[in-house]
Amino acid sequence: MAVKIEKDTIIGSILDVAPQAAPLFMAIGMHCLGCSSSRGETVEEACMVHGIDCDSFIAQLNKFLEALENAEEENK
């Protein structure tokens, strides 16, 4: 997998490589993804602010990104 999300991964970096992940962030209450301050937060900071279990959310993000990458590979 090319992208591996960690607790200290910046949200903006995730959205730059996989804008399709935005709905996952919106589902945990991050509705201001266009805001420069939210894009500069780490995944851990966002989870803490929104009361989300960080490890579970990171696992969900990594699973989503892996599926996205696999689908892109199949379409080549």
Side-chain angles (χ1 to χ4, degrees):
M1 179 167 57
V3 178
K4 174 90 168 130
I5 307 303
E6 305 281 341
K7 288 182 179 185
D8 63 347
T9 304
I10 303 296
I11 292 170
S13 298
I14 299 167
L15 297 175
D16 288 344
V17 296
Q20 305 91 325
L24 297 176
F25 288 97
M26 294 183 79
I28 67 165
M30 287 196 70
H31 300 285
C32 58
L33 291 176
C35 170
S36 60
S37 62
S38 71
R39 286 184 55 91
E41 287 183 329
T42 65
V43 175
E44 184 175 37
E45 290 168 336
C47 288
M48 185 174 24
V49 168
H50 295 283
I52 301 298
D53 178 80
C54 190
D55 292 326
S56 296
F57 186 61
I58 288 172
Q60 180 184 11
L61 280 171
N62 282 318
K63 185 176 179 178
F64 175 81
L65 293 176
E66 184 177 359
L68 186 63
E69 186 176 283
N70 289 339
E72 288 174 356
E73 286 295 318
E74 290 176 8
N75 289 329
K76 287 185 177 180

